[in-house]
Amino acid sequence: MTASDKTKSANKNTITIINNKNNQRHELDILSGTVGPDVIDVRKLYHDLNLFTYDPGYTSTASCDSAITYIDGEKGILMHRGYLIEELASESDFMDVSYMLLFGELPNARQQKRFNTEIKMQSLVDEQLMRFYNGFRRDAHPMAIMVGVVGALSAFYHDSLDISDPKQRHLATIRLIAKMPTIAAMAYKYAIGQPFVYPDNSLSYTGNFLKMMFSVPAEDYIPNPVLERAIDCLFVLHADHEQNASTSTVRLAGSSQANPFACIAAGIASLWGPAHGGANEAVLNMLKVIGDKERIPEFIAKAKDRNDPFRLMGFGHRVYKNYDPRAKVLKESAHAVLKELGVEDQPLFELALELERIALEDEYFIKKKLFPNVDFYSGIILQAMGFPSSMFTVMFAIPRTAGWLSQWHEMLGESVQKIGRPRQRYTGKDHRKFVPKDKRV
Ligand code: ACO
């Protein structure tokens, strides 16, 4: 044992558990991170005590070590690589944040240029992949197309499937970040029967995305810089968010050594649900159903009624028990976008502001610490800019790809690779005799 090991063991923090069934005592190590709650190391629990921990929904379970994103939900703090999200949103851009999530540091000018060029060089998709779209109905939800087409990238880019090769992993990463806007815009164009628009590498990542979404070959298109910046800010705010459902899905899929395209497709599928990334679409639908400020109390009452499944969409968060810092930035951004478009008095925005005001004064929401989350205002911004609500979750998936990939790389960089394999508390029948067909009642 070295001197440093001895000091470590003297300072070791532990917790003792006592099994009242057999009076067995067992000491478990407590491990500390840089900031945030300590964790109890239960890795040997089953081996030593034949016990599992039980935590459906992982409300108290840390599933991995991570140095990418930190959230203090009580204080409403979100940091990537130590930088506050508010600063990143105002001072940085999505390309810089993607680089930082992936490589740990903000890029210098040379790294920035190289990364931007790498991304631009991969923005096209294989021409044959475009034919894939014809297999979908025109009324397919764009998230359904995203799951299918992103998964299908593994059928096209065979030279970036070997996850044991760092060069191939890097190439797949660049390809995914670069092609997501192209694939997303194509899903939209397909739905409205317009021709696909090829990427324009003279534009920024978000400027190019806006052009692929809203231009037609018959007309010139110059992205509005205010809207371009607003989308970039939205992308920064959505780039990563620790071990949420879709990120954990990507990690779990990746733990079986699945290829990166398949892992990201799995993440997109998980993000689609209305309790996760699908909430921004649900917020707008909810605001349309409420329709008028006078009906807000009726819907607040519904949200509070335990027997009514209705929930105030865009409110509440598993981790934030305070105002989601991303929602604060987006509320400001909504003002800027609506002003630029000359629709500051947009009724849905006014309805949202009033709904927020009433909910935040309501005892139920105060007691349960339910605040607006990132999805509450994003739909208002996107709708004002002309995005159909079916594209809202896609707009979340594009930037989150950078976070998913960063987490995937971090996992593959760990010294010990373990397939993710939770256990269970079995509540079914114990062993019983097989019943032959003619004896079944
Ligand atoms: N409206 C009304 N009541 C709510 C809401 C809401 N939006 N959110 C939570 N509650 C209540 C629950 O009914 C529950 O009440 P109870 O203690 O009486 O049973 C309590 O608050 C705790 O809620 P849980 O669902 O247990 O909290 P959990 O952490 O599991 O859920 C979630 C978080 C899924 C985000 C939830 O708040 C919700 O459904 N919100 C609406 C959907 C939404 O906006 N999702 C986007 C999340 S952000 C993102 O994924 C990017």
Side-chain angles (χ1 to χ4, degrees):
M1 200 187 246
T2 66
S4 113
D5 284 342
K6 273 186 196 155
T7 323
K8 265 189 216 154
S9 109
N11 294 335
K12 203 164 86 169
N13 196 4
T14 58
I15 192 167
T16 304
I17 54 165
I18 304 166
N19 187 345
N20 289 332
K21 240 185 191 173
N22 52 16
N23 245 343
Q24 197 176 22
R25 294 167 76 91
H26 194 76
E27 228 174 53
L28 296 167
D29 287 348
I30 296 184
L31 312 176
S32 297
T34 331
V35 271
D38 291 344
V39 298
I40 303 170
D41 184 352
V42 295
R43 282 174 290 183
K44 297 227 174 83
L45 201 60
Y46 176 60
H47 176 267
D48 293 348
L49 297 183
N50 197 31
L51 284 174
F52 293 143
T53 56
Y54 178 65
D55 185 18
Y58 308 115
T59 53
S60 300
T61 296
S63 60
C64 60
D65 283 329
S66 184
I68 300 173
T69 293
Y70 174 74
I71 305 172
D72 183 331
E74 294 298 326
K75 294 192 184 134
I77 292 173
L78 166 62
M79 295 189 298
H80 296 314
R81 303 285 190 191
Y83 296 106
L84 285 170
I85 192 68
E86 293 87 344
E87 271 181 309
L88 292 171
S90 65
E91 307 296 326
S92 187
D93 65 39
F94 177 64
M95 281 294 94
D96 269 11
V97 170
S98 300
Y99 182 97
M100 183 193 64
L101 290 171
L102 286 163
F103 305 111
E105 297 294 338
L106 285 164
N108 61 29
R110 187 181 47 80
Q111 291 162 331
Q112 198 177 40
K113 195 170 167 208
R114 188 170 164 195
F115 186 65
N116 277 310
T117 308
E118 274 190 294
I119 296 284
K120 283 180 192 232
M121 289 302 116
Q122 290 292 341
S123 56
L124 280 167
V125 294
D126 189 299
E127 284 289 304
Q128 199 165 331
L129 190 84
M130 295 196 182
R131 291 196 218 131
F132 225 80
Y133 285 75
N134 292 329
F136 291 100
R137 281 171 54 131
R138 295 264 176 199
D139 60 358
H141 195 287
M143 281 299 275
I145 298 183
M146 295 302 289
V147 175
V149 175
V150 173
L153 292 176
S154 41
F156 286 83
Y157 299 104
H158 296 137
D159 58 345
S160 49
L161 296 180
D162 180 358
I163 63 158
S164 65
D165 177 352
K167 280 197 185 136
Q168 294 203 29
R169 290 210 299 259
H170 179 75
L171 182 55
T173 301
I174 298 292
R175 279 182 169 149
L176 276 157
I177 295 174
K179 293 181 200 310
M180 280 295 280
T182 315
I183 293 168
M186 284 163 66
Y188 172 62
K189 288 296 192 191
Y190 182 72
I192 59 171
Q194 285 187 0
F196 296 146
V197 176
Y198 283 101
D200 178 344
N201 287 347
S202 70
L203 296 173
S204 71
Y205 188 80
T206 39
N208 172 48
F209 175 57
L210 287 173
K211 183 172 178 186
M212 289 190 292
M213 279 290 298
F214 296 121
S215 74
V216 286
E219 302 274 346
D220 285 339
Y221 180 89
I222 299 168
N224 174 322
V226 175
L227 307 186
E228 187 177 344
R229 175 74 196 124
I231 292 295
D232 196 85
C233 174
L234 189 97
F235 281 5
V236 168
L237 297 176
H238 286 81
D240 192 52
H241 210 233
E242 210 223 54
Q243 308 310 322
N244 54 79
S246 56
T247 303
S248 299
T249 302
V250 170
R251 278 185 178 258
L252 201 56
S255 77
S256 76
Q257 304 187 355
N259 75 67
F261 304 107
C263 294
I264 299 303
I268 295 171
S270 169
L271 185 75
W272 192 1
H276 192 9
N280 51 14
E281 186 176 350
V283 170
L284 215 71
N285 293 338
M286 173 190 76
L287 290 173
K288 284 180 192 156
V289 171
I290 298 175
D292 192 279
K293 284 183 195 170
E294 289 193 351
R295 293 190 68 202
I296 292 176
E298 180 192 327
F299 283 86
I300 294 272
K302 271 167 77 64
K304 286 156 58 173
D305 182 354
R306 280 187 140 245
N307 300 317
D308 190 324
F310 175 78
R311 281 188 169 196
L312 215 53
M313 299 314 286
F315 258 76
H317 196 276
R318 169 59 59 80
V319 182
Y320 293 116
K321 301 303 166 197
N322 203 321
Y323 214 112
D324 180 339
R326 302 167 301 171
K328 262 189 205 154
V329 178
L330 280 177
K331 191 174 173 180
E332 291 308 310
S333 181
H335 278 291
V337 166
L338 299 184
K339 187 169 173 221
E340 175 66 17
L341 296 170
V343 289
E344 260 179 300
D345 54 352
Q346 205 230 48
L348 284 187
F349 186 44
E350 294 201 333
L351 190 61
L353 290 171
E354 184 63 1
L355 182 59
E356 178 193 330
R357 191 189 64 75
I358 294 177
L360 291 183
E361 284 174 1
D362 191 289
E363 192 57 26
Y364 173 93
F365 291 88
I366 295 169
K367 232 171 121 192
K368 293 192 188 292
K369 298 186 179 175
L370 300 170
F371 291 86
N373 59 47
V374 70
D375 292 316
F376 195 66
Y377 286 108
S378 58
I380 307 251
I381 298 174
L382 294 174
Q383 179 185 257
M385 288 173 67
F387 289 92
S389 58
S390 60
M391 281 296 287
F392 292 179
T393 315
V394 178
M395 301 289 292
F396 191 153
I398 296 171
R400 185 53 60 86
T401 300
W404 288 330
L405 287 162
S406 308
Q407 303 269 352
W408 176 77
H409 277 284
E410 188 177 61
M411 184 188 68
L412 293 181
E414 276 163 15
S415 52
V416 181
Q417 295 294 310
K418 273 207 174 297
I419 187 165
R421 175 56 168 96
R423 301 303 301 264
Q424 62 176 8
R425 177 166 73 120
Y426 177 67
T427 56
K429 297 265 192 290
D430 198 353
H431 174 248
R432 51 185 174 157
K433 244 179 132 230
F434 180 76
V435 185
K437 272 188 189 157
D438 58 344
K439 300 266 164 51
R440 291 177 206 166
V441 286

